[in-house]
Amino acid sequence: MIPQNVIDDIRQQADIVEIISDYVRLHPSGRNFKALSPFTQEKTPSFVVSPDKQIYKCFSSGKGGNVFSFVMEMEKVTFPEAVELVAKRTGIDISRFSAPEQTPRSREDGSTSALKWAARLFHRTLMSEAGRKGLAYLAAERGLSEKTITSFGLGYAPESWDYLLGEARRAGMLTGQLAELGLISENRQKNSWFDAFRNRVIFPIFSVGGQVVGFGGRTLKNDPDTPKYLNSPESRIFEKSKLLYGLHAAKQEIRRTETAILVEGYMDVLALHQAGITNAVASCGTSLTRYQAKILQRHAPTVQFIYDADPAGKKSMMSGIDILLAEGITPFVVMLPASDDPDSFVRREGADAFRRYAEANRLAFTDFQIRFFSESGEFEEPLRKAKAIRTMTRTISLIPERIRRELYLQELAGKLGVSIEALHEQAGAEQQRDRFRRTDQLPANPLSASRKPESQISVLEKTFLKALLESAAYGNAVLEFAASHEEMLELPHPAAREILAHMIRRYRENGGEPDERIDAVTEIGLFKSPEARDLASGLLVEQPVSSRWHEQSDSEREHARRCLAAFFDAFKNIIIEPLVRRKDSVTAAWSIQNDNDKAIELHKEIMELGKTIKKTSAGLDAMISGILENR
């Protein structure tokens, strides 16, 4: 277990803006940062990151929290694993808190630790005597250095039916878990298990945060019946359509250059990175998807396709251009010489020659399309040329910004000798058709799966909780008062009740020490339910909801006093409100009562409730005034 004070240090030293920037393209917005939500599809940014408070809030999905909860959402890991990832990113060594004998069986969620274990096994095997065949292929035949092999964690699975299975059993791994991850398969006829990856060099596939999520394996057999590449099966953790190979290593350079180089294969990425061209990524053996384009858009406004120059590569780039443009990315295309791919070209010619060639042969997407249709003979007769022009016009119609669409249409009209009016008419028709055939839209992100609807939280509860949470930065006065009057507090909303109970429990765990302050932002990551976490982070990001909450001064003393005043204001009303509701209910019943005796009883209850409300209110006012005067 990692001590709470260490967790606090990690969170406070982590830069939430820098870490979230690995997943979302943030833009300054006053004192905060904004972005399109990583959890939902939206056109207007509703995702807010507060560097001052070190929290985030997504107003479209309702999700929110601190740096740990964000990493948990994006990497699909547990809280302890999120702490480890943030600590590693922040440069804090917490290895002393991990037991050496710990195995994935003893972890809260074994999937990610099992994948990490398998990646280390494959890599150790590659660098051992048992991996000579794999190392010869990667180093001698493909020219990869030991540094590249190590930094990308490449490995080898021996030509054995039970190599990994045997190692897993010795390590105490769960067979069912290994099967779910696609590391072993079942022979139902023999009622036995066997390794899924055999006689293959292994390419671990990482999430953008550097977590192993799956594997790709290239066979070393010269057997036409054996698949050349084998990937991990789709799972909650491994979704090929949402991953880009090499992004964990390329993201910094992509942001610096504002350009991602998109290639087809693992070896292309490795060869370019080894040559120092470190903004290269690949689409994990699949055609480019809208999910992957969305990920690229978070990191850079420009993508440079460098696929194989064969017909399949050209066709893939044609479809990829549409996908990128629809996400607001500007695509360019570099056509390599025939029979070359990025791997072979950069190994033969070197990095400088590769850069010079890419710069000299970079085509705008419109020029590439014109070249594609011209080389395929589509411009040789009017009917086919008209069809090609419709295709190019539809591509431009996908661009979200109107001005950019107009500029590209003008450019295309000049290059094709077609009137701009004709292209406008065609573009309008294509946009209209797309409204009825939007089959390429992304489905809802699993991360934003709908939760059970909660009862509506009141403004009063929000005011109370906001004051409670923000006051913790100034000491324990509010928490002490809340703890001593806990039985009087009635919060209807379940997430509000959880937040109050958690904060009071943490206060009591600290022994009620007046100087022992509780970090509300750290506590957000410790709430049991995501509803409580989302509610608390939203309260800390949102503008104040209480009329007493005015920024009259920047001094800590005045702010603390206002926190206290707002808390007591809400506290009083939470105590009084149930009595007022009861009085209103009884009054409504009295007004329609025909039985005289019952009407008299109801009237007596109304009078008693009125006295109770007046007495309770006066007592609370006196108590609160006394506390505030002594602060």
Side-chain angles (χ1 to χ4, degrees), residues 118-140 144-158 163 200-202 204:
R120 288 173 175 168
L121 174 66
F122 288 138
H123 182 68
R124 283 199 311 270
T125 304
L126 176 71
M127 307 307 287
S128 70
E129 182 65 22
R132 278 192 307 168
K133 189 177 180 182
L135 189 60
Y137 171 80
L138 292 171
L144 295 181
S145 67
E146 184 176 345
K147 180 181 177 182
T148 300
I149 290 171
T150 301
S151 62
F152 280 85
L154 305 187
Y156 177 67
Y163 174 76
R200 292 178 182 270
V201 289
I202 302 296

Side-chain angles (χ1 to χ4, degrees), residues 16-26 70 74-75 89 208-210 247-248 251-252 255 295 298-299:
I16 192 171
V17 173
E18 182 180 342
I19 290 176
I20 289 182
S21 291
D22 284 350
Y23 306 84
V24 178
R25 197 174 182 193
L26 295 172
F70 183 83
M74 301 306 292
E75 295 289 337
R89 177 68 187 270
V208 68
L247 184 59
H248 72 290
K251 61 193 177 189
Q252 301 295 345
R255 282 203 292 266
I295 293 168
R298 295 171 190 163
H299 290 81

Side-chain angles (χ1 to χ4, degrees), residues 406-579:
E406 177 67 22
L407 292 173
Y408 279 119
L409 286 173
Q410 291 176 5
E411 183 182 276
L412 188 62
K415 290 177 178 178
L416 296 177
V418 178
S419 72
I420 186 67
E421 291 78 15
L423 292 184
H424 271 302
E425 182 181 340
Q426 185 63 49
E430 292 297 337
Q431 286 178 322
Q432 185 66 26
R433 271 194 287 270
D434 274 351
R435 291 190 185 101
F436 297 100
R437 63 179 187 193
R438 194 70 71 175
T439 56
D440 58 348
Q441 285 289 331
L442 285 169
N445 192 319
L447 288 172
S448 61
S450 60
R451 297 174 180 149
K452 293 181 180 179
E454 296 284 355
S455 59
Q456 186 70 29
I457 186 168
S458 67
V459 170
L460 182 58
E461 288 175 285
K462 291 173 71 176
T463 305
F464 174 81
L465 289 174
K466 184 173 179 65
L468 181 81
L469 292 168
E470 292 214 341
S471 70
Y474 308 106
N476 289 332
V478 167
L479 285 170
E480 180 184 8
F481 187 85
S484 62
H485 296 81
E486 185 178 8
E487 71 284 351
M488 301 175 68
L489 296 168
E490 181 183 327
L491 300 182
H493 196 278
R497 290 197 299 272
E498 180 184 339
I499 292 170
L500 175 62
H502 176 95
M503 295 299 289
I504 289 175
R505 185 178 70 254
R506 291 286 289 117
Y507 164 76
R508 287 171 175 159
E509 287 172 355
N510 284 346
E513 291 292 331
D515 297 327
E516 187 68 29
R517 299 186 181 187
I518 296 173
D519 187 340
V521 177
T522 295
E523 297 306 315
I524 286 175
L526 302 176
F527 293 145
K528 291 182 179 178
S529 75
E531 291 79 14
R533 184 183 68 215
D534 297 343
L535 173 59
S537 57
L539 291 174
L540 291 174
V541 167
E542 287 176 344
Q543 291 298 313
V545 293
S546 170
S547 58
R548 284 178 177 261
W549 214 282
H550 300 296
E551 292 187 354
Q552 299 170 347
S553 168
D554 290 332
S555 71
E556 182 175 303
R557 186 183 184 87
E558 283 301 313
H559 194 181
R561 185 180 176 82
R562 290 198 304 276
C563 283
L564 202 58
F567 168 80
F568 286 137
D569 184 37
F571 175 88
K572 171 187 169 182
N573 286 305
I574 283 175
I575 301 297
I576 297 296
E577 194 176 64
L579 296 172

